[in-house]
Amino acid sequence: MDLTYTAEQEEFRAGLRSWLGDVLPKLPPRPDPRDWPGRRAYDAGWQRMLYDAGYAGLHWPVDAGGRGATPVQHLIFLEETEKAGAPYVGANFVGLLHAGPTIAAEGTDEQRRRWLPPVLRGDEVWCQGFSEPGAGSDLASLRTRAVRDGDAYVVTGSKIWTSHAEVADWCELLVRTDPQAPKHRGISWLAMPMDAPGVTVRPLRTLAGSTEFAEMFLDEVRVPVANRVGAENDGWRVTMVTLSFERGTAFVGEVVACRRVLGEVARAAKANGSWDDPALRRRLGRLAAEFSVLWRLTQWNVSEAERSLRAGGTGVPGTGGSVFKLRYSHARQELYDTAADVLGPLAQDAGHPWTAERLSSLSYTIAAGTSQIQKNIVAERILGLPKG
Ligand SMILES: Cc1cc2nc3c(=O)[nH]c(=O)nc-3n(C[C@H](O)[C@H](O)[C@H](O)COP(=O)(O)OP(=O)(O)OC[C@H]3O[C@@H](n4cnc5c(N)ncnc54)[C@H](O)[C@@H]3O)c2cc1C
């Protein structure tokens, strides 16, 4: 494993830095995080700028509309955009970071042509309809039914915690196509248009005041059979690809942001005198070490994916993503707890960005699979311990 960057990679970094230096000062201010329609428009605008400059879908295959760059170049992109304080992927999270990569890996040529370019241009936003009231950690227990009727599936059921549903055009939807089969075998992965008759979205307000996610009710929604990615009843395997992208690579840009915030917290501590407390300095030091290790782990995961691609493999991230996701989500919570201690009474101010981040960081150990589930995966699939 070689974690140093080549001259060519450094040249790519320098070009990107110079482009960011030109465009970022001209960007309008970001809308309030609670204004999702405003956020969607802003995030789409930023995605379009990336697309026009040739920085969209860097590591996606060329025939999927991407630039065919290496995973390491993508990592440099994430590192530099975060360091420069560029807009976060936001409403484009699902499309760019796990639905799109799943279609690139598992879709037919026609499906890739239909769905991937609008994601890269920021024209279409996706959401993820996996979880249901009775199927979260035990996702394979899902009950939303899809019954075949000619060239369409008729879908009935409900989903919950569907992030970005309020503003999405498409949903990566898991449905049960064979109720008689063992639970992991009767599932299919569909692309559902969110404006189809029978789709009702009811936004849920989070602790931080955002309507980031929603309940979704599906009442005899007709989804063309042609919108199925992968074979009928083979959706569990496709889902594992989606979750590998979600846990393996989707959060890595945020580690850079956490390192930036950690520096800001240390500077605030020096300015208000809390730096004099040796216990606080120890916490900051431990977090700095932790985020460095997480960044190294990220580089290691990406370098493994690149090696797999060079060897003719899929480049789909492996279970190393669960180790990253497990530790990252706790470190993020500890970072914002420490920030609140440095802020003191100011941490009660709901408008302070660190307060909002602290509230949303509580969800990180649940979203994309809880910490307990990641521990089960690490125990069984990496350490080879017996199933509990
Ligand atoms: C911010 C946020 C965004 C989300 N966005 C989406 C989205 O866009 N689309 C989507 O489909 N879902 C989304 N989710 C849902 C998320 O994936 C689920 O909440 C998560 O998988 C847990 O499922 P659950 O809530 O049903 O909890 P449960 O499965 O009911 O779990 C409850 C508790 O029991 C523990 N537990 C359960 N089974 C085991 C076990 N076998 N071993 C040990 N402990 C266990 C869990 O770890 C947890 O602590 C989101 C969640 C959050 C918080």
Side-chain angles (χ1 to χ4, degrees), residues 128 130-131 136-137 161-163 213 363 366-368 370 372-373 376:
Q128 180 190 42
F130 283 13
S131 304
S137 300
W161 315 131
T162 316
S163 304
F213 46 46
S363 69
I366 303 171
T370 66
Q372 289 86 349
I373 294 301
N376 286 352

Side-chain angles (χ1 to χ4, degrees), residues 3-185:
L3 297 181
T4 54
Y5 295 108
T6 63
E8 194 190 338
Q9 286 162 349
E10 289 300 352
E11 196 182 315
F12 169 77
R13 184 195 299 278
L16 174 59
R17 261 192 201 160
S18 140
W19 180 75
L20 288 167
D22 271 355
V23 298
L24 290 183
K26 297 175 208 146
L27 278 185
R30 286 176 211 197
D32 184 298
R34 285 164 295 190
D35 169 14
W36 270 96
R39 283 269 302 269
R40 177 193 159 134
Y42 183 86
D43 296 343
W46 170 242
Q47 185 58 30
R48 182 69 203 206
M49 287 170 73
L50 289 172
Y51 180 83
D52 289 341
Y55 286 117
L58 272 181
H59 62 311
W60 288 20
V62 175
D63 68 351
R67 269 181 59 178
T70 63
V72 171
Q73 277 176 317
H74 181 229
L75 190 72
I76 294 171
F77 170 81
L78 294 173
E79 198 178 2
E80 290 302 322
T81 44
E82 282 293 344
K83 265 193 200 157
Y88 179 61
V89 63
N92 295 309
F93 186 93
V94 172
L96 279 173
L97 298 175
H98 53 88
T102 302
I103 293 167
E106 296 288 333
T108 61
D109 287 348
E110 202 181 331
Q111 291 174 334
R112 287 151 68 115
R113 271 197 302 274
R114 164 62 190 91
W115 286 312
L116 299 180
V119 168
L120 293 183
R121 288 195 301 265
D123 290 347
E124 289 183 349
V125 165
W126 283 66
C127 64
Q128 180 190 42
F130 283 13
S131 304
E132 297 183 7
S137 300
D138 186 12
L139 182 58
S141 295
L142 63 94
R143 295 217 300 258
T144 291
R145 289 273 307 268
V147 179
R148 198 137 169 187
D149 179 27
D151 59 0
Y153 291 108
V154 179
V155 179
T156 302
S158 69
K159 297 283 169 179
I160 195 160
W161 315 131
T162 316
S163 304
H164 314 144
E166 197 183 347
V167 293
D169 305 290
W170 290 93
C171 178
E172 52 174 6
L173 186 76
L174 292 187
V175 291
R176 185 157 299 287
T177 30
D178 183 356
Q180 310 307 329
K183 65 179 183 178
H184 292 88
R185 301 229 179 99

Side-chain angles (χ1 to χ4, degrees), residues 312-352:
T314 59
V316 175
T319 38
S322 286
V323 180
F324 169 82
K325 201 274 172 184
L326 175 62
R327 199 43 228 158
Y328 164 64
S329 50
H330 288 273
R332 187 180 176 106
Q333 288 175 353
E334 287 160 26
L335 166 66
Y336 285 106
D337 283 351
T338 309
D341 287 346
V342 168
L343 283 178
L346 254 183
Q348 304 302 316
D349 173 3
H352 195 288

Side-chain angles (χ1 to χ4, degrees), residues 17 97 108 135 138 140 150 227 237 239 257-258 277 320 358 388:
R17 261 192 201 160
L97 298 175
T108 61
D138 186 12
N227 287 21
R237 191 189 56 75
T239 302
C258 284
D277 174 4
R358 186 183 187 207

